[in-house]
Amino acid sequence: VKVVACYSIKGGVGKTSTAVNLAYEASRRGIRVLLWDLDPQGAATYSLRVKAGVQGGAKRLAGSDGALRPHIRATDYRGLFVIPADFSLRNLDVLLDDRKRSSHRIRSLLGEEADRFDLAILDCAPGLTLVSESVFAAADALLVPVVPTPLSQRTLEQLGDFLRRSEQRPVVMPFASMVDRRKSLHRELAATLARTVGGFLSVGVPNASAIEQMGVVRAPVGVAAPRSAAAVAYRELWTEVAGSLWS
Ligand SMILES: Nc1ncnc2c1ncn2[C@@H]1O[C@H](COP(=O)(O)OP(=O)(O)O)[C@@H](O)[C@H]1O
Ligand SMILES: [Mg+2]
């Protein structure tokens, strides 16, 4: 199973929107997708109309006798399954800290589902925590939304510094998120990032009301607004990501 984590140190940059829309785009192409909502706020779970909550909480999910299987839920979309968020995930750090080799916990739990899924997408909470380290160990690729502002550029550098010092080396795939073409600062920074940051994806996601609406309509933009620029962007983004995952 290939593992892609939508990850950023920063909040509110488009991780969840990316996780949900890429999970949908992949499933539409016949890939069996498991979207694991690791953010206790549960926005991905909500957007896919899945009931939040995991029976027994984070402990039964990722504790010593934990397993993903009992918690996997179907969605309205064929081939797209979700492990819902649970409020107790806010304690996942403490739980992982208790375990030996905790940094491989997420990978080994996903490994048990390898025969049932081709792709796991992890929707991460912001921050750089023990959970993030377990995510880095599990992920083949980190998909990092970067809003073209000087501050996001800095957090991307911080992530790079951290990974260089760590044993885990997922492929980092940053991409421009919430790009406002009318703002010259956005245009210039997006172009600079694409030119100067290694691995920066060529597809960016525009700032679009269709994406904002996802919290209201509770469906991927490919379903709610299939002809929108946002839907086109996610389709192209998926093609680019898949190309490098299965190259
Ligand atoms: N490309 C976009 N254009 C407009 N709004 C966006 C875009 N991406 C995300 N949003 C909105 O910004 C907010 C944060 O996005 P979200 O995907 O939840 O980010 P994160 O998971 O990084 O916190 C949400 O209200 C979402 O609807
Ligand atoms: Mg989120």
Side-chain angles (χ1 to χ4, degrees):
V1 55
K2 293 283 185 192
V3 180
V4 174
C6 292
Y7 173 81
S8 169
I9 296 175
K10 278 173 78 75
V13 292
K15 294 182 294 295
T16 298
S17 308
T18 305
V20 169
N21 286 294
L22 291 196
Y24 169 74
E25 289 305 328
S27 71
R28 219 170 51 84
R29 288 162 171 81
I31 292 168
R32 299 169 301 169
V33 185
L34 179 60
L35 172 59
W36 186 352
D37 191 346
L38 280 166
D39 187 340
Q41 291 190 34
T45 303
Y46 182 83
S47 301
L48 287 168
R49 299 175 183 257
V50 172
K51 193 166 158 281
V54 165
Q55 215 178 43
K59 195 157 188 177
R60 247 195 89 209
L61 183 69
S64 34
D65 299 317
L68 304 183
R69 186 72 56 95
H71 309 293
I72 296 174
R73 300 284 171 262
T75 65
D76 294 341
Y77 311 105
R78 184 209 295 252
L80 175 50
F81 293 79
V82 168
I83 299 174
D86 189 276
F87 198 53
S88 66
L89 284 173
R90 71 195 191 284
N91 303 322
L92 194 54
D93 259 332
V94 180
L95 200 68
L96 289 176
D97 204 19
D98 281 347
R99 290 183 53 84
K100 266 198 295 185
R101 293 179 56 74
S102 67
S103 67
H104 294 280
R105 190 69 191 134
I106 290 178
R107 170 103 267 184
S108 67
L109 285 166
L110 287 170
E112 288 165 24
E113 301 302 322
D115 54 337
R116 299 175 77 213
F117 294 99
D118 308 304
L119 174 71
I121 294 186
L122 311 179
D123 186 25
C124 303
L128 192 43
T129 63
L130 264 181
V131 178
S132 329
E133 290 189 51
S134 190
V135 164
F136 300 160
D140 295 290
L142 298 185
L143 201 50
V144 185
V146 181
V147 182
T149 64
L151 259 183
S152 341
Q153 203 174 348
R154 232 185 114 246
T155 44
L156 187 58
E157 282 161 16
Q158 287 169 342
L159 173 63
D161 290 344
F162 180 87
L163 287 174
R164 267 188 291 282
R165 277 182 271 116
S166 103
E167 288 163 33
Q168 276 83 46
R169 294 290 165 83
V171 178
V172 179
M173 300 181 184
F175 67 97
S177 179
M178 302 187 185
V179 182
D180 189 341
R181 306 296 316 171
R182 291 166 306 182
K183 290 186 184 156
S184 60
L185 177 67
H186 269 213
R187 283 197 308 271
E188 283 158 22
L189 256 172
T192 308
L193 288 167
R195 211 175 45 240
T196 56
V197 177
F200 209 87
L201 301 182
S202 67
V203 180
V205 176
N207 194 301
S209 58
I211 300 175
E212 256 173 310
Q213 288 292 319
M214 277 177 59
V216 180
V217 299
R218 300 179 73 186
V221 290
V223 173
R227 288 168 188 283
S228 64
V232 172
Y234 284 125
R235 283 198 283 275
E236 290 176 349
L237 186 63
W238 171 246
T239 303
E240 188 172 12
V241 171
S244 96
L245 274 181
W246 281 284
S247 66

